[in-house]
């Protein structure tokens, strides 16, 4: 039995309970309505109920706000994507109803606010319509003249009863959401919630209950990708960061600003992007490996300083939460179009490491990996997230922090001698000692962005420049040998291999599952290490006739997206082609399969 509170309003005698394995719930309204808050509460409830969850949201990029959605997919089994079609649509306004009715599967349910929505008869044939006077009922429940205040929580009560959700846990989440506000705000929120729940109990005959999920070995945590990056950095030992606000990076910055002081750390909001990256480089040289971050426009501004860090071999973590570009572009829409700037965004030969987390959980562990690589190889490491991962919420097993947390504070033990750029070092890997460390020989190194000798002194020697350039390159070649070869999702050979990176992993894997269920020979490969690439990819590619790289960027002048271009350049394999999109939306599973079939049909039509 569900733990749902029944005493305030017992279920109707003819109420029918339907067991379901998962539900895709889309909430559509305006950004001012608190639909993100409502969606986040539902997502966090799923995580605390040991269920799988993934969310998707869109928000307007204008300060005045506007139409917005929040989609939550909750399941008792594995959830790989936010869902192609919704089972349940909650529409607050006419535009919410008309713009999102087609996001519903046929036979899906639309719950609409009768105070603001006039349903269309033609659509009532294809979708189940349930009208509730949400706005007026909210006002009746909590009073006041603010018509839109609290109706999201009233609607949460409706949804809670509709899906037989755990009311005590929802009450606790509501209290947490309004923590720090006046007690009346919490009281009104709970009044609105129970009013919605009671209304649904008295008027709805059909109720749906999610199946019990499998028991987990450890409790789950629920967070967004941006939060996971921040907490991963803290677990890795980072205690200094500097940045400038920009959507959609700012949540990482705000989390670090709030949390780092609890661990003896500091986060500085600098006056601009150039100052921020310079501060971070200074802290890293001082022995406190630092983080800076931004989105595309800010990364462009940081590029010169990143080149300086490459040349000076100063470790640094740079987070790029990608958004649609170029220029200001679409600040609240996802894209994967910063791969080139992450790999090559500097003048001269300036090799750096580029990692791309695949989901929210991976954001946490990628942050730790980035810190460790930066320290070991004395190199800037880019983490390429995107707006989709940044804002979506997922549940994952609580990390074993006692095994993961590390202290990377600088050590000032005296050293006999020190060459920060020793050309005889194995694989070219050297490290700085923190300033203040005693060098017993009395020979202290210097630091400069100019080309330099082994002690850091500026040098224009052709021989030294060639040797230092090779040294900086050899470090990444050594790293590539250590990177794990990614595993193929599905058989290791066949007709089609779908290659992805970043947030495309879930939809790609779900597309593979659907394709194989239809008898098609399709597998997938997901890359987390983008520069350098892991060794052995050519052997994987040789097992497939067609290789399609699925990525959210333009196909470019020659028909290939950014990762596809890098792979073609690396392996000279003409079977590597692209499946690209630039509409500012994430890939749907159906969309991948349709585009794949179009590509295969076009290839079959080509003359031999």
């Amino acid at each position: 039995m569900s733990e749902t509170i029944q005493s305030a309003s017992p279920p109707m005698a003819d109420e029918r309970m339907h067991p379901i394995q998962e539900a895709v719930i889309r909430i559509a309204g305006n950004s001012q309505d608190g639909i993100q808050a409502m969606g986040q509460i539902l997502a966090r409830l799923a995580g605390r109920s040991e269920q799988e969850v993934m969310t998707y949201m869109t928000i307007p990029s204008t300060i005045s706000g506007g139409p917005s959605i929040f989609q939550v997919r909750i399941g008792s089994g594995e959830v790989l994507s936010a869902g192609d079609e919704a089972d349940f649509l909650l529409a607050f306004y006419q535009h919410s109803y008309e713009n999102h009715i087609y996001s519903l599967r046929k036979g899906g349910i639309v719950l609409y606010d009768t105070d603001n929505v006039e349903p269309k008869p033609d659509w009532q044939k294809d979708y189940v319509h349930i009208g509730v006077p949400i706005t007026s009922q909210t006002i009746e429940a909590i009073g006041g003249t603010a018509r839109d205040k609290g109706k999201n929580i009233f609607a949460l009560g409706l949804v809670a009863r509709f899906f037989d959700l755990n009311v005590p846990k929802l009450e606790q989440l509501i209290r947490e959401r309004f923590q720090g506000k006046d007690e009346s705000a919490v009281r009104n929120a709970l009044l609105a919630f129970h009013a919605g729940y009671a209304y649904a109990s008295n008027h709805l005959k059909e109720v749906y209950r999610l199946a019990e999920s499998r028991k987990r070995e450890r409790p789950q945590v629920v967070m967004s990708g941006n939060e996971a990056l921040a907490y991963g950095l803290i677990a890795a030992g980072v205690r200094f960061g500097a940045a400038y606000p920009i959507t959609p990076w700012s949540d990482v910055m705000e989390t670090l600003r709030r949390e780092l002081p609890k661990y003896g750390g500091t986060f500085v909001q600098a006056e601009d992007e150039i100052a921020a990256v310079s501060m971070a480089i200074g802290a890293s040289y001082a022995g406190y490996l630092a983080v800076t971050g931004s989105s595309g426009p800010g990364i462009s501004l940081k590029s010169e300083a990143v080149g300086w860090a490459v040349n000076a071999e100063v470790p640094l973590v740079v987070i790029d939460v990608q958004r649609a570009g170029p220029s200001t572009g679409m600040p609240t829409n996802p894209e994967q179009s910063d791969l080139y700037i992450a790999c090559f965004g500097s003048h001269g030969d300036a090799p750096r490491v580029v990692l791309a987390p695949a989901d929210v959980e991976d954001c946490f562990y990628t942050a730790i990996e980035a810190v460790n690589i930066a320290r070991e190889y004395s190199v800037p490491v880019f983490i390429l997230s995107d707006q989709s991962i940044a804002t979506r919420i997922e549940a994952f097993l609580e990390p074993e922090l006692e095994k993961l947390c590390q202290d990377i504070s600088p050590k000032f033990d005296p050293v006999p001698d020190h060459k920060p750029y020793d050309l005889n070092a194995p694989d070219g890997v050297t490290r700085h000692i923190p300033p203040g460390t005693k060098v017993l020989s009395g020979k202290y190194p210097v630091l400069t962005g100019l080309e330099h000798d082994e002690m850091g002194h500026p040098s224009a020697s052709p021989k030294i420049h060639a040797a230092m350039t090779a040294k900086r390159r050899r470090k990444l070649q050594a790293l590539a040998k250590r990177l794990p070869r990614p595993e193929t999702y599905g058989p290791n050979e066949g007709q089609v291999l779908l290659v992805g990176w970043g947030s495309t992993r879930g939809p790609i894997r779900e597309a593979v599952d659907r394709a194989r269920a239809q008898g098609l020979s399709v597998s997938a490969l997901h890359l987390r290490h983008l520069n350098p690439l892991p060794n052995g990819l050519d052997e994987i590619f040789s097992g497939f006739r067609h290789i399609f790289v699925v990525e959210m960027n333009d196909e470019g002048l020659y028909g290939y997206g950014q990762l596809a271009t890098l792979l073609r350049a690396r392996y000279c394999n003409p079977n590597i082609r692209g499946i690209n999109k630039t509409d500012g939306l994430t890939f749907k599973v159906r969309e991948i399969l349709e585009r794949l079939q179009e590509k295969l049909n076009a290839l079959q039509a080509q003359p031999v």
Side-chain angles (χ1 to χ4, degrees), residues 38-106:
M38 179 183 174
Q40 288 168 6
I41 290 173
L42 288 172
R44 295 184 188 281
L45 172 69
R48 294 187 186 184
S49 304
E50 295 189 321
Q51 291 164 324
E52 292 277 325
V53 62
M54 187 176 293
T55 70
Y56 169 73
M57 62 180 286
T58 65
I59 54 176
S61 58
T62 54
I63 295 174
S64 59
S68 179
I69 69 160
F70 198 105
Q71 184 160 305
V72 186
R73 185 180 184 185
I74 304 172
S76 302
E78 187 177 29
V79 170
L80 294 174
S81 72
D84 280 10
E85 296 178 312
D87 302 299
F88 181 91
L89 171 65
L90 173 59
F92 282 112
Y93 304 106
Q94 192 71 26
H95 66 77
S96 312
Y97 171 71
E98 294 180 1
N99 292 342
H100 297 281
I101 190 72
Y102 292 114
S103 70
L104 272 177
R105 61 172 175 80
K106 288 295 175 67

Side-chain angles (χ1 to χ4, degrees), residues 90-363:
L90 173 59
F92 282 112
Y93 304 106
Q94 192 71 26
H95 66 77
S96 312
Y97 171 71
E98 294 180 1
N99 292 342
H100 297 281
I101 190 72
Y102 292 114
S103 70
L104 272 177
R105 61 172 175 80
K106 288 295 175 67
I109 298 164
V110 54
L111 177 68
Y112 61 94
D113 186 350
T114 56
D115 294 319
N116 295 304
V117 177
E118 182 66 37
K120 296 192 173 183
D122 289 347
W123 291 344
Q124 290 176 312
K125 303 172 186 175
D126 295 326
Y127 310 100
V128 177
H129 283 61
I130 301 174
V132 176
I134 295 174
T135 300
S136 56
Q137 285 292 313
T138 303
I139 294 172
E140 182 177 326
I142 63 177
T145 58
R147 288 176 55 82
D148 295 328
K149 298 299 182 183
K151 69 180 184 181
N152 61 327
I153 305 299
F154 178 91
L156 179 64
L158 293 172
V159 173
R161 182 67 205 122
F162 196 84
F163 289 101
D164 194 32
L165 301 179
N166 188 307
V167 169
K169 289 182 179 179
L170 282 170
E171 289 174 330
Q172 179 58 31
L173 285 164
I174 290 169
R175 290 189 182 96
E176 292 174 11
R177 181 73 190 187
F178 291 92
Q179 187 177 11
K181 295 183 180 292
D182 187 270
E183 184 59 32
S184 63
V186 179
R187 184 174 60 253
N188 284 340
L190 290 172
L191 279 173
F193 172 75
H194 285 294
Y197 190 91
Y199 187 96
S201 296
N202 292 327
H203 293 84
L204 299 184
K205 295 182 179 180
E206 309 290 334
V207 177
Y208 298 82
R209 177 182 293 167
L210 286 160
E212 290 292 325
S213 59
R214 59 185 174 87
K215 295 298 180 183
R216 315 281 173 168
E217 58 191 74
R218 299 194 304 278
Q220 290 193 127
V221 293
V222 188
M223 61 182 67
S224 69
N226 275 349
E227 290 173 318
L229 283 172
Y231 287 114
L233 290 168
I234 293 171
V238 172
R239 294 296 179 265
F240 183 85
Y244 187 79
I246 185 174
T247 301
W249 142 267
S250 296
D251 284 342
V252 182
M253 173 179 168
E254 288 302 312
T255 303
L256 290 172
R257 180 192 60 79
R258 183 182 67 248
E259 298 295 330
L260 273 180
K262 299 177 183 178
Y263 303 92
T266 302
F267 196 93
V268 177
Q269 178 175 322
E271 63 267 33
D272 56 41
E273 300 282 5
I274 298 172
V277 66
S278 300
M279 288 180 186
I281 290 171
S284 288
Y285 172 63
Y288 295 87
L289 184 133
V291 62
T292 188
S294 190
S295 190
I299 297 299
S300 297
L301 291 168
K302 295 180 190 291
S303 294
E304 182 182 2
V306 170
W308 190 97
V310 171
N311 191 61
E313 299 190 47
V314 174
L316 180 70
V317 174
V318 182
I319 297 176
D320 179 359
V321 185
Q322 301 166 94
R323 68 191 206 187
S327 187
T328 311
M330 296 192 293
T332 57
N333 291 80
E335 203 163 85
Q336 294 178 305
S337 52
D338 289 356
L339 179 57
Y340 285 163
I341 193 172
C343 293
F344 311 118
S346 184
H347 52 281
D349 293 308
R352 72 291 298 275
V353 177
V354 181
L355 310 177
D359 53 32
V360 171
E361 179 180 17
D362 198 26
C363 283

Side-chain angles (χ1 to χ4, degrees), residues 569-588:
R570 170 69 178 85
Y571 298 107
C572 301
N573 187 335
N575 294 329
I576 298 174
R577 299 177 176 90
I579 293 178
N580 303 81
K581 63 178 292 182
T582 55
D583 56 6
L585 302 173
T586 55
F587 269 105
K588 286 186 167 71

Side-chain angles (χ1 to χ4, degrees), residues 551-563:
E551 48 187 330
M552 294 183 290
N553 53 47
D554 188 52
E555 64 181 27
L557 297 179
Y558 308 110
Y560 315 108
Q562 295 190 12
L563 179 58

Side-chain angles (χ1 to χ4, degrees), residues 591-602:
E591 190 175 22
I592 294 173
L593 294 173
E594 290 173 351
R595 295 286 303 280
L596 171 61
Q597 193 58 57
E598 290 172 5
K599 294 280 185 177
L600 292 175
N601 291 343

